[in-house]
Amino acid sequence: MKLAIAKGRRFTQGLAALLLCGLAVAYWGSFGVGFYFDDAYGISGNPAIRSVSNIPSFFSDPFTLTTVRENVDLRPVLVTTYALNYAVSGNDPWSYHALNLVLHLIAALLVFVLVRDYLWWPENTRGPDGAARLPAAAAALFFALAPINNQALNYMWARSALLCTLLYLAAMLAMMNGRVLGAALLHALALLTKAIALTLPAAFVAYDFLYRDRERHPDFRSWLRDWKELVPPVAPLLAVDLLYLGLRRVMLPPWADSAMHETWVTPWIWCISQWPAFLHYVRIFVWPAGLSVDHDFPYTMNLAEPQALCSLFAIAVWITAALWYSRRFPQVAFATVWFFLTLAPESSFWPLAEVVNDHRPYIATSLGLSLLLAWIVDAGASLAGRGNYRIVMVAATAVLCLGAVIVGNRRTADWRDSDTLWESTVRSSPGNGRAWMNAGIGYFRRGDYAGAHRYFDRARQLAPAYPYLYMNVVALDLAEGRVEDAVTAGQQAVRFGGAIGLSHYHYGNALERQGRLSDAVAEFRRASELDPNDENSRTALARTSDALAAADATKAEAAMMSEGIRLLDIDHDPERAVEQFQALLQRHPGHYGATYQLARALDAAGRGGEALEIWQKALEMARQTHDTQAEARIVKRLGTRS
């Protein structure tokens, strides 16, 4: 029994329809998913994207990316898409999700075309009408519906991975079609979306080697001898890479890279930590249990740890086997190289904030894991014989895609609100202090302070040096009126996050509530220095500076009053007392107490004529303030009736 399969354009149209249906079910309800995490700083709270007229500045000012100064980066193409979305729907998320789905659909179709026309093997099966169209469609479906890629669509800040991958794939297709200038332009756009695109020249070189003419170049040495043939297509891509790196060096501050990770994470620690991370990505691609927006994946601290040695051994065996059989299965070797190569910018020697992240392997799944899975399914279907191959291939692909759609739909439901998302994160990553903190923020927001304390306390046990936790504890303690506790938490926030403006801002809030205005001013000033774009810190600095100036003025006036009264009543020196009270009234002409005491001092100095005018002013002030006792004394002094 044979299964009839359409060819050419009809097959492609059918695949596009399948992709649309699968994405519609997997992401049903995603249009209402709001802005989370970095979205608040880069999208919903970013004033730079609120006008398309700001788009040119995105290419000259890297600080327009986000309001968090420490997250500065060069991603103007990405920010441009946010500005366009804002022009359409403001902070209503529907247009952002619509664009993400469109970009993802196009990326999946690019995977289909690349596998069908260039990557599948044998070569004679390629093309719109060839047998390669079936495994190519499977690869596109696996990529489009993979639950691991759910975060790249639902988390708006992860659009950087999605958009960069699309441009990367488009540039790769242009290279294979011989359109070098078009590929260079697409490559530049990809780099200006996310730096992971740097590996494109190496990806094309890997393709050229693995799919080389075996008769002309039977081994690596013979292929390498003709290296000059690669110069015309690859040189423009390398030139774009060099220009981009130079641009980053000029435009980004020297501390930008170090701000991305913990200070104790060295390149070597990051590198060996990524070996088990590679295998983790493979596992959650195949079996997506434990998807999380914030994993508690541990660092590997030295080479002797079993997870480092076992992971390195497994990776070495995988790569060796793929290259050993590259002549027979070049698509397997290419998919393997693609997986490790495209992850290299984030998973080799350049530390980032988290060891693993669900949206990080988005590009690696496109022509990496998705192609490998398609090859495994194809190989399994081939065992059923030519007559049953299509039935088995379609059935196996359908079962895998159905499971992916169900998981994807449930995962999208987790994103419907931040409370649900963080509760699911706590379940999947129970050892993650950040997850407990963010779940606690939900309780805090709902007014359940006891619940918030419970989650924050658990977060403190798991992440005792996490500065953002202490910032939230400050806010919670202040809401409960526990000012002393808030000050203590603020000290911890600054201790562990002294280079973060928000730490000083929250500590300043606690100090202000405690009445330590001069200390609060110092903290707000430091926060403004660390992050000049933080409007809250600037506002707080202005407010506390004014309050401190007023408090200092009040203190100085009180001291002058005390000195004047001492001169008048203790030292019996009315002339000097007159000078003291007059000096105070020059600073504060409407000072009631100084006016009253000046009149007394003038009387005591025998200057009764001058005192009359001052007594009249004091009488008016006494009546305005309803000070009946003083009014009676002044009336008696003036010898008039009230």
Side-chain angles (χ1 to χ4, degrees):
M1 178 180 176
K2 287 189 176 182
L3 180 66
I5 302 291
K7 296 181 179 180
R9 181 178 298 177
R10 288 184 60 195
F11 185 88
T12 304
Q13 291 172 342
L15 173 64
L18 278 175
L19 288 169
L20 282 171
C21 290
L23 291 173
V25 177
Y27 294 94
W28 182 261
S30 67
F31 284 70
V33 172
F35 300 110
Y36 300 113
F37 325 129
D38 289 333
D39 292 349
Y41 311 116
I43 302 176
S44 60
N46 187 358
I49 72 165
R50 293 174 186 168
S51 173
V52 292
S53 63
N54 292 331
I55 289 177
S57 68
F58 302 160
F59 292 81
S60 59
D61 182 2
F63 288 96
T64 57
L65 174 67
T66 170
T67 58
V68 177
R69 185 170 180 266
E70 292 79 15
N71 291 347
V72 61
D73 205 349
L74 191 62
R75 300 182 180 182
V77 174
L78 173 68
V79 188
T80 297
T81 65
Y82 294 144
L84 295 174
N85 277 130
Y86 190 89
V88 173
S89 65
N91 278 337
D92 190 330
W94 71 265
S95 75
Y96 298 83
H97 290 287
L99 180 57
N100 272 13
L101 286 168
V102 170
L103 295 174
H104 186 55
L105 175 62
I106 296 172
L109 290 172
L110 286 171
V111 168
F112 167 68
V113 173
L114 283 162
V115 174
R116 182 195 68 184
D117 295 349
Y118 297 99
L119 299 179
W120 199 250
W121 196 262
E123 189 174 2
N124 59 13
T125 62
R126 298 178 193 163
D129 297 331
R133 69 190 188 281
L134 207 54
L141 286 164
F142 295 153
F143 168 66
L145 302 176
I148 193 177
N149 291 333
N150 184 280
Q151 184 171 309
L153 275 78
N154 283 324
Y155 177 29
M156 208 50 56
W157 197 244
R159 179 184 289 176
S160 58
L162 195 161
L163 181 58
C164 180
T165 298
L166 185 152
L167 293 166
Y168 193 112
L169 293 171
M172 192 74 177
L173 182 59
M175 287 292 291
M176 292 176 175
N177 283 326
R179 298 173 181 174
V180 178
L181 293 180
L185 175 61
L186 289 166
H187 183 41
L189 293 174
L191 285 168
L192 294 175
T193 301
K194 197 172 187 181
I196 59 173
L198 282 165
T199 59
L200 179 62
F204 182 76
V205 170
Y207 169 79
D208 186 82
F209 171 70
L210 293 171
Y211 289 87
R212 67 189 184 276
D213 184 341
R214 298 280 178 165
E215 293 184 1
R216 183 183 173 195
H217 300 127
D219 53 30
F220 177 75
R221 289 184 178 180
S222 62
W223 172 79
L224 192 59
R225 279 196 298 268
D226 291 332
W227 63 270
K228 292 182 180 179
E229 295 180 3
L230 277 174
V231 172
V234 175
L237 300 182
L238 288 174
V240 170
D241 274 354
L242 291 173
L243 286 171
Y244 172 74
L245 291 173
L247 193 63
R248 284 185 68 90
R249 187 177 183 85
V250 171
M251 294 185 64
L252 295 181
W255 48 261
D257 289 336
S258 61
M260 295 182 181
H261 60 87
E262 300 284 356
T263 55
W264 56 268
V265 179
T266 65
W268 176 243
I269 290 175
W270 183 257
C271 179
I272 61 178
S273 297
Q274 288 305 300
W275 300 343
F278 283 123
L279 301 181
H280 173 78
Y281 291 138
V282 176
R283 199 273 297 167
I284 58 175
F285 174 80
V286 176
W287 187 255
L291 292 173
S292 175
V293 297
D294 198 356
H295 291 270
D296 55 355
F297 201 87
Y299 283 93
T300 304
M301 303 306 295
N302 62 74
L303 188 59
E305 292 185 29
Q307 64 180 16
L309 293 175
C310 294
S311 299
L312 181 60
F313 177 76
I315 291 170
V317 170
W318 176 5
I319 294 175
T320 301
L323 294 177
W324 184 265
Y325 290 101
S326 62
R327 183 182 185 93
R328 184 177 177 187
F329 304 114
Q331 69 269 49
V332 174
F334 179 82
T336 299
V337 171
W338 180 278
F339 175 72
F340 289 102
L341 182 63
T342 55
L343 274 173
E346 297 176 304
S347 303
S348 52
F349 295 101
W350 295 274
L352 299 175
E354 306 96 8
V355 180
V356 300
N357 198 308
D358 280 1
H359 69 261
R360 193 173 295 161
Y362 180 85
I363 187 171
T365 63
S366 59
L367 293 178
L369 298 182
S370 298
L371 178 54
L372 281 173
L373 182 57
W375 174 78
I376 292 171
V377 173
D378 174 81
S382 297
L383 297 177
R386 294 185 61 182
N388 295 320
Y389 164 77
R390 290 181 176 179
I391 295 175
V392 175
M393 183 71 183
V394 170
T397 301
V399 169
L400 290 172
C401 289
L402 180 61
V405 166
I406 293 172
V407 175
N409 179 273
R410 291 179 178 177
R411 184 60 183 154
T412 297
D414 287 340
W415 284 84
R416 65 181 180 268
D417 61 68
S418 60
D419 296 344
T420 303
L421 183 60
W422 282 115
E423 289 290 353
S424 73
T425 305
V426 166
R427 290 193 300 271
S428 61
S429 306
N432 191 323
R434 287 189 304 267
W436 284 90
M437 179 197 74
N438 283 293
I441 291 173
Y443 284 87
F444 181 21
R445 191 187 303 113
R446 295 194 298 272
D448 184 350
Y449 294 164
H453 272 295
R454 186 172 66 255
Y455 274 73
F456 287 167
D457 288 345
R458 179 57 179 157
R460 197 175 335 205
Q461 295 171 5
L462 296 168
Y466 189 46
Y468 292 97
L469 168 61
Y470 295 102
M471 297 179 209
N472 283 287
V473 172
V474 169
L476 176 58
D477 286 339
L478 289 179
E480 293 183 304
R482 297 159 47 151
V483 179
E484 294 296 329
D485 291 340
V487 170
T488 301
Q491 291 170 340
Q492 294 293 82
V494 170
R495 175 188 174 192
F496 297 117
I500 303 172
L502 282 173
S503 293
H504 297 274
Y505 170 74
H506 285 278
Y507 186 31
N509 282 335
L511 292 170
E512 182 183 8
R513 283 281 295 274
Q514 197 180 42
R516 296 164 56 183
L517 291 178
S518 59
D519 292 334
V521 166
E523 292 302 319
F524 290 139
R525 181 175 291 114
R526 181 58 178 154
S528 298
E529 291 170 353
L530 289 169
D531 189 356
N533 295 323
D534 184 4
E535 185 177 346
N536 289 331
S537 295
R538 293 199 307 271
T539 301
L541 177 59
R543 180 185 68 245
T544 50
S545 295
D546 290 345
L548 180 61
D552 288 343
T554 301
K555 188 183 297 184
E557 291 171 5
M560 294 178 75
M561 278 291 293
S562 297
E563 177 65 9
I565 292 172
R566 186 186 67 80
L567 290 168
L568 179 60
D569 294 335
I570 297 176
D571 292 354
H572 305 293
D573 189 348
E575 289 293 345
R576 289 180 61 194
V578 167
E579 294 176 1
Q580 186 75 7
F581 293 128
Q582 286 177 334
L584 175 52
L585 287 168
Q586 285 181 348
R587 291 170 56 100
H588 189 170
H591 198 294
Y592 173 32
T595 303
Y596 182 89
Q597 296 298 336
L598 175 60
R600 284 185 64 225
L602 287 169
D603 273 345
R607 297 158 62 179
E610 297 177 52
L612 286 175
E613 181 182 354
I614 306 302
W615 280 120
Q616 289 292 344
K617 290 182 180 179
L619 180 60
E620 293 176 8
M621 291 178 178
R623 287 171 173 168
Q624 289 172 358
T625 57
H626 305 290
D627 187 352
T628 55
Q629 291 182 352
E631 180 184 355
R633 288 195 297 269
I634 297 170
V635 168
K636 183 178 180 180
R637 162 64 182 82
L638 293 174
T640 62
R641 294 179 181 273
S642 61

